[in-house]
Amino acid sequence: GELEAGDAGNKGQVGSYSRLLVPIVDIDQELRKVDTLIHAEDRMKAWPEALAIVRNKKYDKIEFKKVFNAYGDNIYYSDPDRANLYLGGGATPKSEQSLAYLLRNEILTNIEDLRAELEYLLKSGENEVEDLYSFSKVITETMTRYLALVPPKELEEARGFLKGVS
């Protein structure tokens, strides 16, 4: 299909799950920046910058899901040889994996809505920002919930990798 399988079935080839988490942590930081930008006083300067971020290809549905699946499909099974069988319908996901997918989808839906709302507000010049703020709040809160599923040591390592500390 449209998504690629993760590396869970390749024993010994996945160097560190923390490295697979780095793109997600990067997305989290960018989306927090978007939240700051949409709340900025100088909307004419800040909103186009926020829109440019969420227009990045990594926020397109398929790319976004690939990033999250590369990590999520690799961590939630005790038997790594079975992990990616779920994508082909061969194994039952653990509840944590199902929750991670639901959270990922909620983030994605709200990114798409936020992008559309930003485009509309910039084009129309309207000042009704409640929906925009709501989409951003859901994104940041849901991303926090997603990252709470991650083992703390992996999250700390991923943040270190992102900062260039290995």
Side-chain angles (χ1 to χ4, degrees):
E2 56 190 36
L3 299 177
E4 297 171 358
D7 294 327
N10 300 321
K11 284 187 179 177
Q13 293 183 22
V14 178
S16 168
Y17 293 133
S18 302
R19 290 192 186 276
L20 296 173
L21 184 60
V22 169
I24 297 172
V25 172
D26 185 45
I27 286 171
D28 177 52
Q29 290 178 0
E30 281 189 352
L31 293 174
R32 290 181 188 284
K33 180 178 180 179
V34 167
D35 185 63
T36 299
L37 289 168
I38 65 167
H39 287 89
E41 285 189 42
D42 186 0
R43 293 178 180 172
M44 296 312 293
K45 180 180 178 186
W47 284 10
E49 185 179 348
L51 184 57
I53 292 170
V54 295
R55 279 184 171 165
N56 186 295
K57 184 178 179 175
K58 69 180 158 188
Y59 295 105
D60 292 346
K61 185 176 289 189
I62 292 172
E63 293 302 316
F64 191 82
K65 287 182 176 184
K66 282 181 183 179
V67 167
F68 277 73
N69 288 359
Y71 177 74
D73 287 344
N74 282 294
I75 62 170
Y76 294 108
Y77 284 96
S78 58
D79 178 2
D81 288 329
R82 292 184 58 218
N84 287 323
L85 291 176
Y86 170 63
L87 291 177
T92 305
K94 285 184 160 183
S95 61
E96 294 91 348
Q97 191 171 28
S98 295
L99 179 57
Y101 288 159
L102 289 172
L103 294 172
R104 175 206 65 191
N105 290 343
E106 185 172 352
I107 295 164
L108 178 59
T109 297
N110 280 276
I111 289 169
E112 292 168 342
D113 291 344
L114 181 136
R115 181 172 45 222
E117 186 69 11
L118 257 178
E119 289 169 347
Y120 171 76
L121 290 172
L122 283 168
K123 185 176 180 180
S124 71
E126 287 191 27
N127 289 320
E128 297 295 322
V129 295
E130 291 79 18
D131 287 343
L132 183 65
Y133 291 171
S134 177
F135 298 139
S136 187
K137 181 179 179 183
V138 170
I139 291 167
T140 55
E141 288 176 354
T142 307
M143 183 64 87
T144 298
R145 289 177 56 207
Y146 181 92
L147 292 174
L149 296 173
V150 173
K153 185 174 188 274
E154 287 181 16
L155 184 57
E156 182 182 333
E157 287 174 358
R159 287 181 172 146
F161 291 141
L162 193 59
K163 289 179 184 175
V165 179
S166 39

